[in-house]
Amino acid sequence: MNIAKKKIAYITLGCKLNFSETSTLKHLLENAGAETVEEDSDADIFIINTCSVTDIAEKKDRQLIRKIAHHHPNARIVVTGCYAQLRAEEIKGMEGISLVLGAKEKFNIVEHLLHLEEEQQQPISSQNENIFQIRQFDLAYSFGDRTRCFLKIQDGCDYFCSYCTIPYARGRSRSASIPQVLEAVSQVAAKGIKEIILTGVNTGDFGRDQQANLLDLLHQLDARDDIARYRISSIEPNLLTEEIIEFVASSRHFMPHFHIPLQAGNDEVLRLMRRRYNRDLFASKVQAIKSILPDAFIGVDVIAGMRGETRACFEDSRDFIASLPISQLHVFPYSERQGTKALEIPLTVPQEEKHNRVAELIRISERKHHEFCSQFEGNTRPVLFEDNNTKTYIYGFTDNYIKVRLPYAPQLVNTISPIFLNKGIIQENKNQ
């Protein structure tokens, strides 16, 4: 297929890592002569980057693929991402599919499209026979937003938690080299972007295959002045060291913002999940952050209704979470994943009870977030403002991740400005 001047639309589902990778795919195809168009356009090719973290995510993948195939019967559909790696044969059986690209082949998309025959009718699947043999690292970053950028520094995971399919979708943990990251930062800075979020599947594992570590990278990034702000995406509590916390507290460019997955606040459930810490360790990390960074935002992931989570286990977990000085929860109902060890646990939580537990945790989250935001009313904090399509309001985030809204002012776009925080401009997040 000649892809020069082909109109290509990109659709991304799932995590920030996927968004960074989609941006890189777009860049590769534009360099090959393709034209990027909106997803509701009459595109020649649709690139769908999928998610497989839950059964709901896979359902959304299927619905979207079928919708695109129905509305664009003459378009080529390329499916990549975690769902493509895990469920290639299932996708091949769907109408309208031209290519299914797994974890190893997604960044060879130009070559695959060039070799795709115009009259090709049967879908082609390019999968890696053994996902765990992949050692290459493909650096990626998002560049659609001229204010903030998600920079992928790590991929894959070696943890094999009992409920999770990510290692099977993305392979073993591997990282960019520090020079690769520094070069990418230079490219991002040249676009005028003010903030970089360092992201990965297991970000805290950065550098283990490179004879380096995350703290080494953080020091080198903080020594530069071409990016005003950095944030560290989700980092496992057992990998969040005292040195990293102290570094953020004293750094010039790293924001007082941590995202730490807990998943359960009960030690028995943590054991069933095969997590690598107990709740006392988690609590000690939260207390360490608050002792030297009292204004820090702390976001926490938690799963409700895991197999083996009795009502007593949940209540213990809920009460533990409520006792922590955290800022917000990201709550997920447990999802059965084919091929995971969690399916061997006999006790299951009924769907209605699972949803009730999610609702209880969301109420705690909303209270925590309200309390966190309220304590800064009457303070002035630096806000990085983002552009938006409405032109009615302009939104931005403080250094410690409080979202604010002001009447639209174009001169504020992509600036960091001191803003007096009052109740009227603080935007509290709901149902996270």
Side-chain angles (χ1 to χ4, degrees):
M1 175 187 289
N2 181 7
I3 61 177
K5 301 192 184 304
K6 291 287 187 184
K7 293 185 291 185
I8 303 183
Y10 303 83
I11 305 174
T12 307
L13 299 163
C15 64
K16 302 305 183 189
L17 203 60
N18 271 7
F19 281 88
S20 70
E21 292 180 342
T22 298
S23 287
T24 298
L25 297 179
K26 185 187 303 183
H27 182 65
L28 292 170
L29 288 162
E30 287 176 346
N31 283 349
E35 175 189 353
T36 297
V37 298
E38 296 298 322
E39 63 181 76
D40 58 355
S41 301
D42 189 19
D44 300 307
I45 302 169
F46 285 85
I47 311 294
I48 304 176
N49 196 356
T50 58
C51 176
S52 189
V53 70
T54 64
D55 56 353
I56 294 173
E58 290 192 355
K59 182 179 179 181
K60 289 180 179 178
D61 294 332
R62 291 189 292 270
Q63 289 174 339
L64 179 61
I65 292 168
R66 288 173 180 140
K67 177 183 174 182
I68 296 299
H70 176 71
H71 289 291
H72 303 273
N74 297 320
R76 297 287 190 168
I77 298 176
V78 179
V79 182
T80 188
C82 292
Y83 181 51
Q85 178 65 41
L86 292 174
R87 310 280 185 257
E89 291 304 311
E90 179 180 307
I91 298 169
K92 282 175 64 179
M94 299 173 73
E95 290 291 329
I97 303 300
S98 292
L99 274 173
V100 183
L101 298 179
K104 185 178 181 182
E105 294 302 322
K106 70 176 77 169
F107 293 101
N108 294 330
I109 191 167
V110 172
E111 181 180 350
H112 284 290
L113 284 175
L114 287 173
H115 287 88
L116 186 67
E117 298 295 332
E118 295 286 356
E119 67 277 5
Q120 178 73 42
Q121 297 299 317
Q122 294 301 314
I124 298 173
S125 176
S126 179
Q127 301 299 101
N128 191 60
E129 289 298 320
N130 186 346
I131 186 72
F132 302 118
Q133 291 180 351
I134 297 178
R135 292 293 180 264
Q136 71 188 48
F137 179 84
D138 297 289
L139 192 141
Y141 58 86
S142 60
F143 48 86
D145 185 334
R146 61 193 182 101
T147 301
R148 307 167 76 216
C149 166
F150 293 91
L151 173 57
K152 172 185 162 187
I153 62 170
Q154 185 275 340
D155 201 352
C157 187
D158 294 339
Y159 277 20
F160 293 92
C161 297
S162 68
Y163 57 87
C164 184
T165 58
I166 287 177
Y168 306 98
R170 286 189 169 268
R172 294 282 187 180
S173 179
R174 53 204 186 276
S175 307
S177 67
I178 290 180
Q180 279 181 302
V181 176
L182 298 180
E183 172 58 27
V185 168
S186 295
Q187 294 171 16
V188 170
K191 298 177 184 296
I193 289 170
K194 295 288 198 302
E195 179 175 301
I196 289 177
I197 301 94
L198 304 176
T199 189
V201 172
N202 189 349
T203 310
D205 206 33
F206 172 84
R208 192 160 55 86
D209 59 334
Q210 302 280 342
Q211 288 72 56
N213 60 51
L214 182 60
L215 189 59
D216 295 335
L217 174 63
L218 303 187
H219 277 291
Q220 294 215 33
L221 294 175
D222 200 50
R224 303 167 63 119
D225 290 319
D226 49 356
I227 295 293
R229 289 179 164 189
Y230 291 95
R231 299 184 194 270
I232 306 167
S233 68
S234 181
I235 182 169
E236 294 287 310
N238 54 300
L239 297 176
L240 179 58
T241 63
E242 298 286 336
E243 291 81 7
I244 290 175
I245 296 169
E246 291 169 359
F247 164 80
V248 171
S250 62
S251 73
R252 300 185 305 147
H253 299 301
F254 279 82
M255 299 298 98
H257 177 188
F258 294 86
H259 192 109
I260 320 169
L262 170 63
Q263 310 305 16
N266 172 270
D267 283 340
E268 173 62 17
V269 177
L270 287 172
R271 184 188 66 78
L272 291 172
M273 289 178 163
R274 298 189 175 181
R275 301 294 285 168
R276 298 192 176 194
Y277 52 86
N278 58 30
R279 75 182 197 179
D280 286 346
L281 183 143
F282 188 92
S284 72
K285 298 304 171 77
V286 171
Q287 295 296 341
I289 292 168
K290 285 298 186 179
S291 67
I292 58 175
L293 279 168
D295 291 354
F297 181 99
I298 303 176
V300 174
D301 291 339
V302 61
I303 296 171
M306 168 74 183
R307 278 190 176 229
E309 184 184 68
T310 64
R311 182 67 198 183
C313 286
F314 169 74
E315 290 176 357
D316 181 53
S317 177
R318 178 200 61 202
D319 294 346
F320 170 73
I321 291 167
S323 74
L324 294 173
I326 59 177
S327 312
Q328 187 179 24
L329 298 173
H330 294 263
V331 187
F332 305 90
Y334 166 71
S335 179
E336 305 272 62
R337 309 307 296 132
Q338 180 183 332
T340 57
K341 289 291 184 181
L343 298 183
E344 299 174 6
I345 301 169
L347 187 143
T348 60
V349 179
Q351 202 67 19
E352 183 178 358
E353 172 65 11
K354 200 183 297 183
H355 289 152
N356 290 339
R357 294 179 188 184
V358 167
E360 287 188 56
L361 292 171
I362 286 175
R363 286 193 291 272
I364 292 173
S365 178
E366 291 178 349
R367 184 175 73 248
K368 291 281 188 186
H369 194 255
H370 174 74
E371 291 169 353
F372 177 77
C373 293
S374 296
Q375 67 181 299
F376 298 103
E377 290 178 18
N379 291 2
T380 298
R381 299 197 78 95
V383 176
L384 173 57
F385 285 99
E386 304 171 359
D387 205 352
N388 65 78
N389 296 323
T390 68
K391 306 305 184 203
T392 303
Y393 295 103
I394 187 168
Y395 296 88
F397 285 92
T398 65
D399 54 338
N400 62 339
Y401 210 59
I402 296 173
K403 188 176 184 179
V404 303
R405 184 184 76 174
L406 294 176
Y408 187 75
Q411 71 275 14
L412 290 178
V413 173
N414 205 24
T415 68
I416 298 173
S417 305
I419 299 295
F420 179 78
L421 302 180
N422 60 55
K423 189 174 182 179
I425 70 169
I426 292 174
Q427 301 294 291
E428 294 185 24
N429 294 322
K430 301 292 184 181
N431 299 325
Q432 294 296 311

